[in-house]
Amino acid sequence: MRQIQEIINIFLPAKNLNYKKIGPNNPNARGIPVPTSKKGFHLDKSIEKVCPTGGLKVSSSKEVTFDYGACLQCGHCVEASSGQLENSGFVHVYSVDREALKVHYVDGIPAIYEEEVSENVKQFRKITKYTGFQYREVAASGNNATEAEINASFNAVFDSEASKVRVVASPKHSDAVVFSGPVGKNMEIPLQVAWDTTPGPKALIACGTEAVSGGLFERGKLPKEPDLFIGGDPPRPDVIVSAFRYLMGTKKFSFRDELSKFLSERGRKS
């Protein structure tokens, strides 16, 4: 009987996610590195060399800055920190403000920062909050990891179309351009052409750490400053769809506020 039920489950439609209830952290994921909640925080400057993207800077033994837009969430810094850093499981790393992804900690406490919203994002939200948007994806010299997650974002489980976000074949029919990868020389012109062909008002979305900062590589020329930055190498499909919802204004989210709240709750539990 059990085998029959397992076979039936294969053919049953998958239950898609409830994005209104999804949280910013996932206990099954490594997530971004953060200072531990232990007293006596002390970090050696030599740990900077461990970060493959240079996204970790130690100002003093008590001060450290993470550029989560350059973070691969690889965990190398945690392994080398002698218990001073830990993997948080916090995976919803996205913002319309690039500077918001650069977090300065003093004694393990993140500095206060109010994220800024550009006029273009405000305009984009006005026209997409209730109607959604369509996007053209450009694979700009990446390793296909982010592309695979983007593909998964519109399957039966993550179902981006239920959030009114659809991928289209032509930038002529799109409201946004989503690009992945560090934008190699050979992809600078195709990305620019896709952007120029997209009618306005429009948004440019950097999806994945390589798109946000270049990751392990030097990032190439962009048509303009992105309107949305989604960190992770690669970002999970649920993170991608949540970030799209945030860009449209159908999801209330602040990376810095959510991170501070998460760290505060963690401190109370420890």
Side-chain angles (χ1 to χ4, degrees):
M1 188 67 182
R2 181 179 178 183
Q3 290 177 330
I4 294 175
Q5 186 61 51
E6 289 176 349
I7 294 172
I8 292 174
N9 289 340
I10 293 174
F11 295 97
L12 287 174
K15 184 178 180 181
N16 54 8
L17 295 182
N18 185 342
Y19 286 97
K20 293 182 179 179
K21 294 183 178 181
I22 193 170
N25 63 302
N26 187 309
N28 297 319
R30 186 181 290 124
I32 56 176
V34 297
T36 63
S37 57
K38 300 176 183 177
K39 293 183 179 180
F41 178 76
H42 183 94
L43 203 60
D44 192 272
K45 189 172 179 61
S46 62
I47 200 172
E48 291 181 350
K49 300 177 182 178
V50 175
C51 181
T53 64
L56 168 60
K57 301 297 180 184
V58 179
S59 304
S60 70
S61 60
K62 300 291 185 180
E63 297 180 77
V64 59
T65 301
F66 284 101
D67 181 357
Y68 292 126
C71 180
L72 302 176
Q73 300 178 24
C74 62
H76 290 340
C77 60
V78 173
E79 294 173 2
S81 70
S82 301
Q84 298 301 299
L85 302 175
E86 64 183 15
N87 295 313
S88 65
F90 196 103
V91 292
H92 281 237
V93 183
Y94 49 84
S95 178
V96 295
D97 182 353
R98 177 69 178 90
E99 292 302 309
L101 302 182
K102 301 175 183 178
V103 183
H104 182 71
Y105 295 88
V106 179
D107 277 333
I109 301 173
I112 297 173
Y113 181 88
E114 186 173 344
E115 296 172 69
E116 296 184 4
V117 181
S118 70
E119 288 301 318
N120 192 63
V121 169
K122 291 177 182 178
Q123 179 70 13
F124 190 77
R125 282 178 174 169
K126 284 182 180 180
I127 64 173
T128 61
K129 185 172 184 179
Y130 300 106
T131 62
F133 70 91
Q134 300 184 146
Y135 69 89
R136 173 70 169 97
E137 197 267 329
V138 177
S141 311
N143 59 11
N144 280 340
T146 298
E147 287 82 356
E149 300 301 275
I150 290 175
N151 289 341
S153 72
F154 47 84
N155 68 20
V157 177
F158 301 104
D159 198 9
S160 68
E161 291 200 18
S163 296
K164 300 178 182 178
V165 180
R166 297 165 292 276
V167 62
V168 292
S170 172
K172 294 179 181 180
H173 305 145
S174 66
D175 306 294
V177 173
V178 176
F179 73 96
S180 57
V183 192
K185 283 289 183 183
N186 292 337
M187 288 305 299
E188 289 180 356
I189 293 177
L191 179 58
Q192 183 70 55
V193 170
W195 175 253
D196 292 341
T197 308
T198 303
K202 54 188 175 181
L204 183 64
I205 300 173
C207 190
T209 297
E210 288 182 341
V212 174
S213 65
L216 295 170
F217 310 95
E218 181 179 352
R219 194 180 66 176
K221 183 181 177 181
L222 302 182
K224 65 178 287 291
E225 180 75 1
D227 298 289
L228 174 64
F229 305 87
I230 308 174
D233 187 46
R236 294 165 51 93
D238 53 316
V239 173
I240 293 172
V241 177
S242 293
F244 290 163
R245 291 169 60 89
Y246 157 69
L247 176 62
M248 290 188 292
T250 58
K251 174 185 176 68
K252 291 184 178 181
F253 181 83
S254 165
F255 170 70
R256 295 298 288 265
D257 288 350
E258 290 295 332
L259 178 61
S260 295
K261 179 181 177 182
F262 169 77
L263 294 176
S264 178
E265 291 177 351
R266 180 202 60 174
R268 287 197 292 268
K269 293 177 181 178
S270 62

